[in-house]
Amino acid sequence: MSSAILTQCARDLVQKVSTEMKLEYGMSSMAPSIYDTAWLAMIEKNTDQGPQWLFPGCFEYLIEHQNEEGGWDPLEQATRTVKYPANVWLPDCIIHSLAASLALCWHIRRAMPKGGDVPSDSLARLLRAKKFLDSKLHVWQLDGTTHFGYELLVPVLLRLLRDEGMTFEFPAKEALMEKYQKASDIDISWLYSSPCKIPLFCLEGFLEKLDFSRLQHLVTSAGIVASPASAASYLIYSPLWSDQCEAYLRHVVSHGQGKGNGAVGGVFPMEIFEPSWVLTALLENGFTVESLGREQVNDMVQMIHRNLENGVTGATVEFLPDADDTSRALTALNLHGYQISPAAMVEKFEVDQCFETFDARMPNRVKSVSVNGNVLNSLLHAPDPSAFTSQIEKIAKFMCGRWNTDRKFEDHWNLSEYYGLMHMAQSLVPLLVLWDQGGLPSLPEDLVQSVIPSCLQEAMVRILQQQNLDGSWGDIHSREETAYSIIALANLGSHAAVGDDFSRVELAIARGKQFLLENWQLGDKPDRIWTGKILHGISYVQDAYVVAALKVSRVNLAGKRGLCPN
């Protein structure tokens, strides 16, 4: 791909994000979620003609996407040459298939008195769905399941299906119900008097505990906590209709990645997360503001800046602030010439050994290597990085300590080990550069001259050894994971402290780029490697990382940092 074409791809992507973030309800490029779409398919609204399905297109989408085995599987495991691990795929297709089966039950029940409204083979479809779910539930093991809130969502769906006459017995059921009792046995009475800004909260997971008539104050322009499924469950179970909630969902259906085909993503909007990630991925890896389009970049950074509240932010204004989105936002702004101190981020998220993702208002604050890498990067881009030397030292020791203990990163937010490795490389290598330049004189010499280089050398070897024969990385030969690995290698190969012969790195990068050129186009369906209630793919973020990986140059990074490349 020529440099001109690559630059045009980057400009087109920035133009999309810049345009969509200005929409009334914000933007999200998250891939369609069967689970959330099923909840929308179950909303009925009273009209002069009686109850009517609010989103019949959502039900049609479910019918169109039931697979030959009878289930719903956005990971498309059956048609993959390389498969997702079972502990990832099984709970994902189970959650989607339970929700879609429930929607099918509801539509069949509604249609039975008068006929019509459902496909003629609906009962056969339901039987196939039951058979599919029986087979998957039978082999599902709870250990290793990482989907957020599955211990709430699956039992609730099982009980709703039981009410429709569809029951399931499986080996892990008793243990699952024990987890449900523990997870649901928390005080959520605060929901009746306070707004909810908990990221990835699932209102539908607490159906049996909530009085929906007391929740109207939770509705905002982002539905309920930016969750289409939660907004849908509110419209289904609340005795009070919300026009605002309906308008939000109509926007998600028409302006999400489904673009009106009936499908919706799992989180909407993400008007801070996506612009921040897209901009930093591109600007850190060889693109300039001018090459991306100054007017569009200005629009994006101004929006990010407006949404910093007391120096911190979240993925959307509807979420509590977090260290991950705050650090990426600060990096995006300071790369663009702002001079914003990270002091508020430090005050809010720093703990004894590292930075945690959330502050004390969240029960699980989450220690993550990728988040700490992002925080470190933002500290290095601060107006005066030396003012945060103690925090820089703390994060470097945390990341190297994690590496020395595990030799592999398992991240809370992303399935890929290369996501954490990329953020480690993108933060620790610039740390070495700044120290070389005299910018961090108080850092311990042993840390900078021994601990960090040793850690980075081992990480580089790990990435090189894990490359697949076709040039990709990851269990599923993922384009986004391949992009992470290329960016990590380019950074690792830009500093002499990490090695003195980077010929293998250059070859691996070249093979990785060739894989991307042969297997990616701008706007492709994204790889689903981001964690949540279900596995998410984020289209614009994947495109940004792939374009950045195709652009990045080990030699150019070294030159930009004042280093002499080998």
Side-chain angles (χ1 to χ4, degrees), residues 320-386:
L320 290 172
D322 65 81
D324 209 18
D325 288 284
T326 297
S327 59
R328 285 279 88 183
L330 292 176
T331 299
L333 292 169
N334 288 334
L335 281 171
H336 195 58
Y338 284 74
Q339 295 285 302
I340 300 178
S341 169
M345 175 183 68
V346 171
E347 180 181 356
K348 202 166 192 65
F349 303 111
E350 184 182 12
V351 293
D352 288 344
Q353 296 181 328
C354 62
F355 279 66
E356 292 182 327
T357 306
F358 301 107
D359 64 22
R361 288 174 289 180
M362 286 286 287
N364 180 13
R365 297 186 62 174
V366 184
K367 293 180 174 70
S368 161
V369 168
S370 69
V371 173
N372 277 269
N374 279 332
V375 171
L376 176 53
N377 212 348
S378 69
L379 296 176
L380 297 173
H381 283 94
D384 180 13
S386 64

